[in-house]
Amino acid sequence: MLGQTGEVTDRFVTAVAPTRATDVIRAAREPGGSTRVGPARLIIDLDAIRANTAELCRRAGRAQVMAVVKADGYGHGLVPSARAALAGGATWLGTALLGEALELRRQGVGGRILSWLHTPGEPFADAVRADVDLAAAAPWALDEIAAAAQQAATTARVHLKFDTGLGRNGAYGPGAEQLIRRAAELDSAGILSIVGVMSHFAYADAPGHPTVRAQRETFERYVETCERAGLDVQVRSLANSAATLTDPSCAFDLVRPGLAVYGLSPVPQLGGPQEFGLRPAMTCSADLALVKDIPAGQGLSYGHDYVPAQDTRIGIVPMGYADGVPRGAGNVGPVAVRQRDGDLRRVTVSGRVCMDQVVLDLGAATRAREGDEVVLFGDPATGVPSAQDWAEATNTISYEIITRMSTRLPRVFHGEGDA
């Protein structure tokens, strides 16, 4: 139970197994109200994740949907995000690292799970026993998975990953031919079951870019080559969030949205979340630690990069770059201050971002007081800045804004997305 000023009671708080070294709390929240947990926190709307996934399922047509939950569910929490996505209609979950897939199984999460970025010596036998699909981009990976399958006395499910033009992970050129040849041998022997072929776009966020069509055609040729080698390709997977939203021709059998599951637009130049029927699931907020008067000419924060021209009041936000606030947000990071009378006022970070705090010039007429909530980003439909606003202010992408948030911030989950 929280203190008297808190809005979460033990009637609403239940245990959630942590997925990283961070506090996680299950909470209910009144609409428009805040959830007071610690001086700063991330509030995760599981209902939004569920609804976003349902919308992506609708857009995917006949294709199944894999909700990508890598990077701790894009910072939203691996296990709660996975369960909410499954509740929304996803039948697959995707992770980059094998440890993430195994953690999902340890927490009892169902559905098909695919892990695709591996190095030699991974615990492939554990993955095979846990019924985790594995991607292979080179013959060595096939051989290690085959050895693990024999150790586990079962057949491993494998997806072949090809580089169709991204220039990143995936078999390419002669390496692709070697991968297919070795895969056919192990599949014929019954040690591996090659069930899928996958690749990844370089320019899916620019739907008209000529590489999109070129990569799709290269992908189709790889599928045909695999089938001619005797492989039964059941799952063709190419589309990420951007392609899922903008190019139905790339859906094939399975789409792999990541960012869109969490309610952010992968193509902000074409439309924000609302235009695609999505709702941001993460709100980053904190409580003002101090409000005080400052005379004109008194510089703020390290280096005095911000100097108020007139007498003003400043507020101290107990979040800094150790919490994931970009250090480059000095004088540009947008913040909304929710004053006690209910008014929402937009201001900008004043001066340099420190390790544990930032300063806001609230203006001499502010009604803000200690304990008032400040929202760094959340759902723009509620009048607060968005992760995309922060991305544009700091010259990055919204993916980085949400995934960089520190484990020091408790994740507060609300909604029934995982019911």
Side-chain angles (χ1 to χ4, degrees):
M1 181 173 180
L2 302 184
Q4 291 182 350
T5 59
E7 295 183 19
V8 182
T9 71
D10 52 8
R11 182 164 61 95
F12 294 129
V13 178
T14 58
V16 177
T19 59
R20 299 194 304 182
T22 186
D23 298 322
V24 287
I25 299 168
R26 178 89 167 110
R29 167 173 85 135
E30 293 300 323
S34 63
T35 304
R36 307 289 191 192
V37 179
R41 80 291 299 176
L42 298 176
I43 302 169
I44 310 300
D45 184 348
L46 296 177
D47 285 342
I49 293 176
R50 181 175 63 176
N52 294 334
T53 306
E55 173 62 17
L56 291 164
C57 289
R58 186 188 70 79
R59 289 176 175 269
R62 295 180 180 178
Q64 296 186 68
V65 170
M66 171 190 289
V68 178
V69 293
K70 65 179 181 177
D72 197 34
Y74 281 53
H76 293 66
L78 174 67
V79 174
S81 297
R83 288 178 172 150
L86 290 174
T91 52
W92 290 71
L93 299 170
T95 71
L97 305 182
L98 184 51
E100 298 168 320
L102 293 175
E103 178 63 18
L104 289 170
R105 288 297 192 230
R106 279 192 290 269
Q107 296 293 340
V109 176
R112 293 237 60 86
I113 300 176
L114 172 65
S115 169
W116 57 74
L117 184 59
H118 310 126
T119 58
E122 298 270 15
F124 291 125
D126 292 343
V128 175
R129 293 189 188 98
D131 193 25
V132 172
D133 287 30
L134 299 165
W140 72 259
L142 291 173
D143 290 337
E144 288 203 16
I145 296 170
Q150 291 175 313
Q151 179 184 341
T154 189
T155 302
R157 290 171 51 95
V158 175
H159 301 241
L160 303 182
K161 191 158 199 271
F162 296 101
D163 178 359
T164 55
L166 174 57
R168 205 177 63 174
N169 187 39
Y172 184 85
E177 298 171 6
Q178 296 167 10
L179 180 70
I180 295 171
R181 188 181 311 117
R182 185 58 177 148
E185 293 171 356
L186 293 168
D187 184 90
S188 178
I191 301 171
L192 302 182
S193 177
I194 308 300
V195 298
V197 171
M198 64 186 299
S199 188
H200 200 75
F201 280 117
Y203 280 94
D205 56 347
H209 199 280
T211 60
V212 174
R213 179 177 178 179
Q215 281 194 256
R216 185 180 71 242
E217 293 174 348
T218 301
F219 177 77
E220 291 170 338
R221 286 196 295 271
Y222 276 128
V223 171
E224 292 170 359
T225 303
C226 287
E227 291 175 339
R228 285 199 302 269
L231 298 174
D232 181 16
V233 180
Q234 305 165 28
V235 183
R236 299 165 298 165
S237 178
L238 180 61
N240 54 5
S241 284
T244 300
L245 294 174
T246 65
D247 193 344
S249 71
C250 297
F252 293 103
D253 306 303
L254 177 70
V255 297
R256 307 189 311 268
L259 187 75
V261 169
Y262 308 98
L264 300 181
S265 171
V267 284
Q269 75 280 14
L270 299 181
Q274 287 182 298
E275 281 73 23
F276 292 107
L278 306 174
R279 187 168 86 246
M282 178 186 288
T283 298
C284 176
S285 74
D287 304 329
L288 285 174
L290 180 67
V291 175
K292 64 180 182 181
D293 295 323
I294 289 290
Q298 170 60 58
L300 304 183
S301 194
Y302 291 120
H304 290 177
D305 287 348
Y306 180 92
V307 181
Q310 56 191 12
D311 293 352
T312 190
R313 305 197 93 189
I314 65 170
I316 307 302
V317 181
M319 286 186 68
Y321 58 75
D323 300 290
V325 180
R327 190 170 181 272
N331 296 328
V332 295
V335 178
V337 181
R338 196 184 306 278
Q339 301 174 126
R340 294 195 179 184
D341 58 7
D343 285 349
L344 198 64
R345 182 158 184 250
R346 295 282 289 265
V347 296
T348 301
V349 171
S350 303
R352 295 185 191 173
V353 174
C354 307
M355 182 180 293
D356 309 297
Q357 55 192 289
V358 298
V359 182
L360 306 178
D361 183 346
L362 301 172
T366 183
R367 296 184 297 278
R369 296 293 182 268
E370 287 88 350
D372 285 356
E373 184 186 31
V374 295
V375 179
L376 278 72
F377 60 84
D379 184 353
T382 65
V384 302
S386 67
Q388 181 62 33
D389 291 333
W390 272 80
E392 293 173 2
T394 58
N395 194 31
T396 185
I397 55 177
S398 61
Y399 298 75
E400 183 184 0
I401 296 299
I402 59 174
T403 60
R404 69 181 292 149
M405 304 314 294
S406 170
T407 57
R408 186 163 77 166
L409 298 174
R411 270 66 172 169
V412 182
F413 299 99
H414 74 89
E416 298 300 326
D418 60 348

PDB file of all heavy atoms in Angstrom, residues 126-159:
ATOM      1  N   ASP A 126      18.129 -25.959 -24.769  1.00  0.00           N
ATOM      2  CA  ASP A 126      17.073 -25.420 -23.911  1.00  0.00           C
ATOM      3  C   ASP A 126      15.939 -24.854 -24.768  1.00  0.00           C
ATOM      4  O   ASP A 126      14.756 -25.002 -24.441  1.00  0.00           O
ATOM      5  CB  ASP A 126      17.621 -24.317 -23.008  1.00  0.00           C
ATOM      6  CG  ASP A 126      18.585 -24.834 -21.957  1.00  0.00           C
ATOM      7  OD1 ASP A 126      18.589 -26.061 -21.702  1.00  0.00           O
ATOM      8  OD2 ASP A 126      19.342 -24.018 -21.399  1.00  0.00           O
ATOM      9  N   ALA A 127      16.299 -24.194 -25.861  1.00  0.00           N
ATOM     10  CA  ALA A 127      15.290 -23.610 -26.740  1.00  0.00           C
ATOM     11  C   ALA A 127      14.445 -24.687 -27.397  1.00  0.00           C
ATOM     12  O   ALA A 127      13.209 -24.566 -27.490  1.00  0.00           O
ATOM     13  CB  ALA A 127      15.967 -22.748 -27.804  1.00  0.00           C
ATOM     14  N   VAL A 128      15.090 -25.751 -27.855  1.00  0.00           N
ATOM     15  CA  VAL A 128      14.353 -26.838 -28.507  1.00  0.00           C
ATOM     16  C   VAL A 128      13.394 -27.489 -27.520  1.00  0.00           C
ATOM     17  O   VAL A 128      12.230 -27.766 -27.846  1.00  0.00           O
ATOM     18  CB  VAL A 128      15.335 -27.861 -29.101  1.00  0.00           C
ATOM     19  CG1 VAL A 128      14.572 -29.053 -29.669  1.00  0.00           C
ATOM     20  CG2 VAL A 128      16.194 -27.219 -30.192  1.00  0.00           C
ATOM     21  N   ARG A 129      13.871 -27.728 -26.303  1.00  0.00           N
ATOM     22  CA  ARG A 129      12.999 -28.335 -25.281  1.00  0.00           C
ATOM     23  C   ARG A 129      11.824 -27.416 -24.936  1.00  0.00           C
ATOM     24  O   ARG A 129      10.738 -27.890 -24.594  1.00  0.00           O
ATOM     25  CB  ARG A 129      13.803 -28.627 -24.017  1.00  0.00           C
ATOM     26  CG  ARG A 129      14.874 -29.710 -24.175  1.00  0.00           C
ATOM     27  CD  ARG A 129      15.463 -30.082 -22.828  1.00  0.00           C
ATOM     28  NE  ARG A 129      16.611 -30.973 -22.975  1.00  0.00           N
ATOM     29  CZ  ARG A 129      17.873 -30.563 -22.954  1.00  0.00           C
ATOM     30  NH1 ARG A 129      18.154 -29.278 -22.772  1.00  0.00           N
ATOM     31  NH2 ARG A 129      18.857 -31.431 -23.098  1.00  0.00           N
ATOM     32  N   ALA A 130      12.043 -26.101 -25.008  1.00  0.00           N
ATOM     33  CA  ALA A 130      10.998 -25.135 -24.663  1.00  0.00           C
ATOM     34  C   ALA A 130      10.086 -24.821 -25.849  1.00  0.00           C
ATOM     35  O   ALA A 130       9.230 -23.944 -25.743  1.00  0.00           O
ATOM     36  CB  ALA A 130      11.641 -23.849 -24.147  1.00  0.00           C
ATOM     37  N   ASP A 131      10.266 -25.521 -26.963  1.00  0.00           N
ATOM     38  CA  ASP A 131       9.442 -25.316 -28.159  1.00  0.00           C
ATOM     39  C   ASP A 131       9.569 -23.896 -28.679  1.00  0.00           C
ATOM     40  O   ASP A 131       8.583 -23.225 -29.012  1.00  0.00           O
ATOM     41  CB  ASP A 131       7.977 -25.654 -27.857  1.00  0.00           C
ATOM     42  CG  ASP A 131       7.136 -25.774 -29.131  1.00  0.00           C
ATOM     43  OD1 ASP A 131       7.718 -26.078 -30.193  1.00  0.00           O
ATOM     44  OD2 ASP A 131       5.914 -25.544 -29.058  1.00  0.00           O
ATOM     45  N   VAL A 132      10.804 -23.407 -28.763  1.00  0.00           N
ATOM     46  CA  VAL A 132      11.103 -22.099 -29.340  1.00  0.00           C
ATOM     47  C   VAL A 132      11.635 -22.306 -30.758  1.00  0.00           C
ATOM     48  O   VAL A 132      12.557 -23.095 -30.967  1.00  0.00           O
ATOM     49  CB  VAL A 132      12.146 -21.341 -28.493  1.00  0.00           C
ATOM     50  CG1 VAL A 132      12.607 -20.069 -29.205  1.00  0.00           C
ATOM     51  CG2 VAL A 132      11.569 -21.011 -27.116  1.00  0.00           C
ATOM     52  N   ASP A 133      11.049 -21.620 -31.727  1.00  0.00           N
ATOM     53  CA  ASP A 133      11.573 -21.643 -33.094  1.00  0.00           C
ATOM     54  C   ASP A 133      12.867 -20.835 -33.143  1.00  0.00           C
ATOM     55  O   ASP A 133      12.992 -19.810 -32.463  1.00  0.00           O
ATOM     56  CB  ASP A 133      10.565 -21.042 -34.067  1.00  0.00           C
ATOM     57  CG  ASP A 133       9.366 -21.953 -34.310  1.00  0.00           C
ATOM     58  OD1 ASP A 133       9.002 -22.712 -33.399  1.00  0.00           O
ATOM     59  OD2 ASP A 133       8.808 -21.881 -35.417  1.00  0.00           O
ATOM     60  N   LEU A 134      13.809 -21.275 -33.972  1.00  0.00           N
ATOM     61  CA  LEU A 134      15.109 -20.629 -34.060  1.00  0.00           C
ATOM     62  C   LEU A 134      15.408 -20.236 -35.498  1.00  0.00           C
ATOM     63  O   LEU A 134      15.130 -21.004 -36.425  1.00  0.00           O
ATOM     64  CB  LEU A 134      16.209 -21.574 -33.552  1.00  0.00           C
ATOM     65  CG  LEU A 134      16.073 -22.010 -32.084  1.00  0.00           C
ATOM     66  CD1 LEU A 134      16.965 -23.203 -31.798  1.00  0.00           C
ATOM     67  CD2 LEU A 134      16.411 -20.841 -31.159  1.00  0.00           C
ATOM     68  N   ALA A 135      15.978 -19.061 -35.681  1.00  0.00           N
ATOM     69  CA  ALA A 135      16.407 -18.633 -37.010  1.00  0.00           C
ATOM     70  C   ALA A 135      17.877 -18.970 -37.186  1.00  0.00           C
ATOM     71  O   ALA A 135      18.655 -18.930 -36.233  1.00  0.00           O
ATOM     72  CB  ALA A 135      16.180 -17.140 -37.190  1.00  0.00           C
ATOM     73  N   ALA A 136      18.246 -19.285 -38.413  1.00  0.00           N
ATOM     74  CA  ALA A 136      19.638 -19.572 -38.748  1.00  0.00           C
ATOM     75  C   ALA A 136      20.023 -18.761 -39.969  1.00  0.00           C
ATOM     76  O   ALA A 136      19.305 -18.741 -40.975  1.00  0.00           O
ATOM     77  CB  ALA A 136      19.838 -21.060 -39.006  1.00  0.00           C
ATOM     78  N   ALA A 137      21.197 -18.105 -39.896  1.00  0.00           N
ATOM     79  CA  ALA A 137      21.677 -17.287 -41.003  1.00  0.00           C
ATOM     80  C   ALA A 137      22.980 -17.816 -41.586  1.00  0.00           C
ATOM     81  O   ALA A 137      23.543 -17.202 -42.495  1.00  0.00           O
ATOM     82  CB  ALA A 137      21.882 -15.846 -40.531  1.00  0.00           C
ATOM     83  N   ALA A 138      23.462 -18.960 -41.065  1.00  0.00           N
ATOM     84  CA  ALA A 138      24.720 -19.537 -41.546  1.00  0.00           C
ATOM     85  C   ALA A 138      24.727 -21.028 -41.222  1.00  0.00           C
ATOM     86  O   ALA A 138      24.036 -21.478 -40.283  1.00  0.00           O
ATOM     87  CB  ALA A 138      25.913 -18.849 -40.886  1.00  0.00           C
ATOM     88  N   PRO A 139      25.503 -21.825 -41.975  1.00  0.00           N
ATOM     89  CA  PRO A 139      25.554 -23.273 -41.720  1.00  0.00           C
ATOM     90  C   PRO A 139      25.971 -23.636 -40.305  1.00  0.00           C
ATOM     91  O   PRO A 139      25.481 -24.626 -39.749  1.00  0.00           O
ATOM     92  CB  PRO A 139      26.572 -23.761 -42.762  1.00  0.00           C
ATOM     93  CG  PRO A 139      26.435 -22.795 -43.890  1.00  0.00           C
ATOM     94  CD  PRO A 139      26.211 -21.471 -43.232  1.00  0.00           C
ATOM     95  N   TRP A 140      26.882 -22.845 -39.690  1.00  0.00           N
ATOM     96  CA  TRP A 140      27.292 -23.194 -38.324  1.00  0.00           C
ATOM     97  C   TRP A 140      26.093 -23.205 -37.377  1.00  0.00           C
ATOM     98  O   TRP A 140      26.012 -24.037 -36.457  1.00  0.00           O
ATOM     99  CB  TRP A 140      28.368 -22.222 -37.801  1.00  0.00           C
ATOM    100  CG  TRP A 140      27.874 -20.838 -37.474  1.00  0.00           C
ATOM    101  CD1 TRP A 140      28.000 -19.720 -38.225  1.00  0.00           C
ATOM    102  CD2 TRP A 140      27.137 -20.430 -36.299  1.00  0.00           C
ATOM    103  NE1 TRP A 140      27.397 -18.644 -37.623  1.00  0.00           N
ATOM    104  CE2 TRP A 140      26.865 -19.056 -36.430  1.00  0.00           C
ATOM    105  CE3 TRP A 140      26.699 -21.097 -35.163  1.00  0.00           C
ATOM    106  CZ2 TRP A 140      26.167 -18.326 -35.466  1.00  0.00           C
ATOM    107  CZ3 TRP A 140      25.986 -20.381 -34.195  1.00  0.00           C
ATOM    108  CH2 TRP A 140      25.721 -19.008 -34.343  1.00  0.00           C
ATOM    109  N   ALA A 141      25.167 -22.274 -37.582  1.00  0.00           N
ATOM    110  CA  ALA A 141      23.983 -22.213 -36.720  1.00  0.00           C
ATOM    111  C   ALA A 141      23.115 -23.450 -36.918  1.00  0.00           C
ATOM    112  O   ALA A 141      22.599 -24.031 -35.946  1.00  0.00           O
ATOM    113  CB  ALA A 141      23.184 -20.949 -37.008  1.00  0.00           C
ATOM    114  N   LEU A 142      22.950 -23.877 -38.159  1.00  0.00           N
ATOM    115  CA  LEU A 142      22.180 -25.100 -38.420  1.00  0.00           C
ATOM    116  C   LEU A 142      22.823 -26.295 -37.727  1.00  0.00           C
ATOM    117  O   LEU A 142      22.125 -27.135 -37.123  1.00  0.00           O
ATOM    118  CB  LEU A 142      22.104 -25.349 -39.927  1.00  0.00           C
ATOM    119  CG  LEU A 142      21.261 -24.361 -40.748  1.00  0.00           C
ATOM    120  CD1 LEU A 142      21.433 -24.643 -42.238  1.00  0.00           C
ATOM    121  CD2 LEU A 142      19.788 -24.446 -40.353  1.00  0.00           C
ATOM    122  N   ASP A 143      24.147 -26.383 -37.797  1.00  0.00           N
ATOM    123  CA  ASP A 143      24.833 -27.515 -37.186  1.00  0.00           C
ATOM    124  C   ASP A 143      24.685 -27.514 -35.667  1.00  0.00           C
ATOM    125  O   ASP A 143      24.468 -28.567 -35.052  1.00  0.00           O
ATOM    126  CB  ASP A 143      26.315 -27.500 -37.576  1.00  0.00           C
ATOM    127  CG  ASP A 143      26.533 -27.823 -39.046  1.00  0.00           C
ATOM    128  OD1 ASP A 143      25.643 -28.468 -39.650  1.00  0.00           O
ATOM    129  OD2 ASP A 143      27.578 -27.428 -39.598  1.00  0.00           O
ATOM    130  N   GLU A 144      24.786 -26.340 -35.046  1.00  0.00           N
ATOM    131  CA  GLU A 144      24.634 -26.281 -33.590  1.00  0.00           C
ATOM    132  C   GLU A 144      23.194 -26.579 -33.172  1.00  0.00           C
ATOM    133  O   GLU A 144      22.955 -27.247 -32.160  1.00  0.00           O
ATOM    134  CB  GLU A 144      25.080 -24.918 -33.061  1.00  0.00           C
ATOM    135  CG  GLU A 144      26.582 -24.712 -33.106  1.00  0.00           C
ATOM    136  CD  GLU A 144      27.078 -23.657 -32.124  1.00  0.00           C
ATOM    137  OE1 GLU A 144      26.315 -23.294 -31.198  1.00  0.00           O
ATOM    138  OE2 GLU A 144      28.234 -23.212 -32.278  1.00  0.00           O
ATOM    139  N   ILE A 145      22.238 -26.083 -33.933  1.00  0.00           N
ATOM    140  CA  ILE A 145      20.833 -26.385 -33.611  1.00  0.00           C
ATOM    141  C   ILE A 145      20.562 -27.868 -33.814  1.00  0.00           C
ATOM    142  O   ILE A 145      19.837 -28.496 -33.025  1.00  0.00           O
ATOM    143  CB  ILE A 145      19.890 -25.523 -34.470  1.00  0.00           C
ATOM    144  CG1 ILE A 145      20.079 -24.036 -34.139  1.00  0.00           C
ATOM    145  CG2 ILE A 145      18.436 -25.925 -34.236  1.00  0.00           C
ATOM    146  CD1 ILE A 145      19.374 -23.092 -35.098  1.00  0.00           C
ATOM    147  N   ALA A 146      21.150 -28.456 -34.850  1.00  0.00           N
ATOM    148  CA  ALA A 146      20.973 -29.889 -35.094  1.00  0.00           C
ATOM    149  C   ALA A 146      21.542 -30.707 -33.942  1.00  0.00           C
ATOM    150  O   ALA A 146      20.918 -31.682 -33.481  1.00  0.00           O
ATOM    151  CB  ALA A 146      21.646 -30.278 -36.409  1.00  0.00           C
ATOM    152  N   ALA A 147      22.720 -30.332 -33.457  1.00  0.00           N
ATOM    153  CA  ALA A 147      23.311 -31.042 -32.318  1.00  0.00           C
ATOM    154  C   ALA A 147      22.425 -30.909 -31.088  1.00  0.00           C
ATOM    155  O   ALA A 147      22.252 -31.869 -30.313  1.00  0.00           O
ATOM    156  CB  ALA A 147      24.711 -30.495 -32.041  1.00  0.00           C
ATOM    157  N   ALA A 148      21.846 -29.720 -30.896  1.00  0.00           N
ATOM    158  CA  ALA A 148      20.948 -29.498 -29.755  1.00  0.00           C
ATOM    159  C   ALA A 148      19.684 -30.330 -29.894  1.00  0.00           C
ATOM    160  O   ALA A 148      19.177 -30.880 -28.903  1.00  0.00           O
ATOM    161  CB  ALA A 148      20.592 -28.018 -29.662  1.00  0.00           C
ATOM    162  N   ALA A 149      19.171 -30.462 -31.107  1.00  0.00           N
ATOM    163  CA  ALA A 149      17.967 -31.263 -31.329  1.00  0.00           C
ATOM    164  C   ALA A 149      18.231 -32.732 -31.012  1.00  0.00           C
ATOM    165  O   ALA A 149      17.393 -33.416 -30.407  1.00  0.00           O
ATOM    166  CB  ALA A 149      17.495 -31.103 -32.771  1.00  0.00           C
ATOM    167  N   GLN A 150      19.398 -33.215 -31.404  1.00  0.00           N
ATOM    168  CA  GLN A 150      19.730 -34.610 -31.102  1.00  0.00           C
ATOM    169  C   GLN A 150      19.903 -34.802 -29.600  1.00  0.00           C
ATOM    170  O   GLN A 150      19.495 -35.813 -29.049  1.00  0.00           O
ATOM    171  CB  GLN A 150      20.994 -34.994 -31.867  1.00  0.00           C
ATOM    172  CG  GLN A 150      20.766 -35.081 -33.385  1.00  0.00           C
ATOM    173  CD  GLN A 150      22.034 -35.351 -34.153  1.00  0.00           C
ATOM    174  OE1 GLN A 150      23.061 -34.724 -33.931  1.00  0.00           O
ATOM    175  NE2 GLN A 150      21.968 -36.300 -35.079  1.00  0.00           N
ATOM    176  N   GLN A 151      20.486 -33.809 -28.940  1.00  0.00           N
ATOM    177  CA  GLN A 151      20.629 -33.878 -27.489  1.00  0.00           C
ATOM    178  C   GLN A 151      19.269 -33.894 -26.809  1.00  0.00           C
ATOM    179  O   GLN A 151      19.060 -34.593 -25.812  1.00  0.00           O
ATOM    180  CB  GLN A 151      21.448 -32.675 -26.997  1.00  0.00           C
ATOM    181  CG  GLN A 151      21.648 -32.630 -25.483  1.00  0.00           C
ATOM    182  CD  GLN A 151      22.372 -31.368 -25.052  1.00  0.00           C
ATOM    183  OE1 GLN A 151      23.029 -30.687 -25.844  1.00  0.00           O
ATOM    184  NE2 GLN A 151      22.270 -31.038 -23.780  1.00  0.00           N
ATOM    185  N   ALA A 152      18.338 -33.120 -27.338  1.00  0.00           N
ATOM    186  CA  ALA A 152      16.994 -33.044 -26.751  1.00  0.00           C
ATOM    187  C   ALA A 152      16.083 -34.158 -27.251  1.00  0.00           C
ATOM    188  O   ALA A 152      14.938 -34.261 -26.803  1.00  0.00           O
ATOM    189  CB  ALA A 152      16.365 -31.690 -27.074  1.00  0.00           C
ATOM    190  N   ALA A 153      16.589 -34.980 -28.162  1.00  0.00           N
ATOM    191  CA  ALA A 153      15.829 -36.112 -28.712  1.00  0.00           C
ATOM    192  C   ALA A 153      14.512 -35.664 -29.342  1.00  0.00           C
ATOM    193  O   ALA A 153      13.455 -36.284 -29.144  1.00  0.00           O
ATOM    194  CB  ALA A 153      15.575 -37.162 -27.638  1.00  0.00           C
ATOM    195  N   THR A 154      14.578 -34.574 -30.101  1.00  0.00           N
ATOM    196  CA  THR A 154      13.396 -34.084 -30.800  1.00  0.00           C
ATOM    197  C   THR A 154      13.835 -33.322 -32.037  1.00  0.00           C
ATOM    198  O   THR A 154      15.025 -33.084 -32.245  1.00  0.00           O
ATOM    199  CB  THR A 154      12.532 -33.183 -29.889  1.00  0.00           C
ATOM    200  OG1 THR A 154      11.298 -32.896 -30.544  1.00  0.00           O
ATOM    201  CG2 THR A 154      13.242 -31.892 -29.558  1.00  0.00           C
ATOM    202  N   THR A 155      12.900 -32.956 -32.872  1.00  0.00           N
ATOM    203  CA  THR A 155      13.191 -32.199 -34.082  1.00  0.00           C
ATOM    204  C   THR A 155      13.051 -30.707 -33.795  1.00  0.00           C
ATOM    205  O   THR A 155      12.070 -30.283 -33.176  1.00  0.00           O
ATOM    206  CB  THR A 155      12.238 -32.600 -35.224  1.00  0.00           C
ATOM    207  OG1 THR A 155      12.363 -33.996 -35.463  1.00  0.00           O
ATOM    208  CG2 THR A 155      12.553 -31.830 -36.492  1.00  0.00           C
ATOM    209  N   ALA A 156      14.029 -29.922 -34.217  1.00  0.00           N
ATOM    210  CA  ALA A 156      13.988 -28.483 -33.991  1.00  0.00           C
ATOM    211  C   ALA A 156      13.316 -27.771 -35.157  1.00  0.00           C
ATOM    212  O   ALA A 156      13.512 -28.133 -36.313  1.00  0.00           O
ATOM    213  CB  ALA A 156      15.406 -27.943 -33.801  1.00  0.00           C
ATOM    214  N   ARG A 157      12.538 -26.762 -34.856  1.00  0.00           N
ATOM    215  CA  ARG A 157      11.880 -25.924 -35.863  1.00  0.00           C
ATOM    216  C   ARG A 157      12.798 -24.748 -36.190  1.00  0.00           C
ATOM    217  O   ARG A 157      13.208 -23.996 -35.293  1.00  0.00           O
ATOM    218  CB  ARG A 157      10.533 -25.417 -35.350  1.00  0.00           C
ATOM    219  CG  ARG A 157       9.475 -26.506 -35.234  1.00  0.00           C
ATOM    220  CD  ARG A 157       8.231 -25.967 -34.502  1.00  0.00           C
ATOM    221  NE  ARG A 157       7.747 -24.720 -35.064  1.00  0.00           N
ATOM    222  CZ  ARG A 157       6.768 -24.641 -35.992  1.00  0.00           C
ATOM    223  NH1 ARG A 157       6.190 -25.743 -36.459  1.00  0.00           N
ATOM    224  NH2 ARG A 157       6.366 -23.466 -36.440  1.00  0.00           N
ATOM    225  N   VAL A 158      13.109 -24.570 -37.483  1.00  0.00           N
ATOM    226  CA  VAL A 158      14.086 -23.571 -37.893  1.00  0.00           C
ATOM    227  C   VAL A 158      13.536 -22.701 -39.019  1.00  0.00           C
ATOM    228  O   VAL A 158      12.819 -23.190 -39.909  1.00  0.00           O
ATOM    229  CB  VAL A 158      15.398 -24.253 -38.354  1.00  0.00           C
ATOM    230  CG1 VAL A 158      16.382 -23.230 -38.912  1.00  0.00           C
ATOM    231  CG2 VAL A 158      16.040 -25.012 -37.190  1.00  0.00           C
ATOM    232  N   HIS A 159      13.875 -21.409 -38.965  1.00  0.00           N
ATOM    233  CA  HIS A 159      13.561 -20.453 -40.019  1.00  0.00           C
ATOM    234  C   HIS A 159      14.883 -19.986 -40.621  1.00  0.00           C
ATOM    235  O   HIS A 159      15.800 -19.586 -39.885  1.00  0.00           O
ATOM    236  CB  HIS A 159      12.797 -19.252 -39.466  1.00  0.00           C
ATOM    237  CG  HIS A 159      11.507 -19.613 -38.793  1.00  0.00           C
ATOM    238  ND1 HIS A 159      10.286 -19.142 -39.239  1.00  0.00           N
ATOM    239  CD2 HIS A 159      11.245 -20.388 -37.709  1.00  0.00           C
ATOM    240  CE1 HIS A 159       9.326 -19.617 -38.451  1.00  0.00           C
ATOM    241  NE2 HIS A 159       9.889 -20.382 -37.517  1.00  0.00           N
TER     242      HIS A 159
END
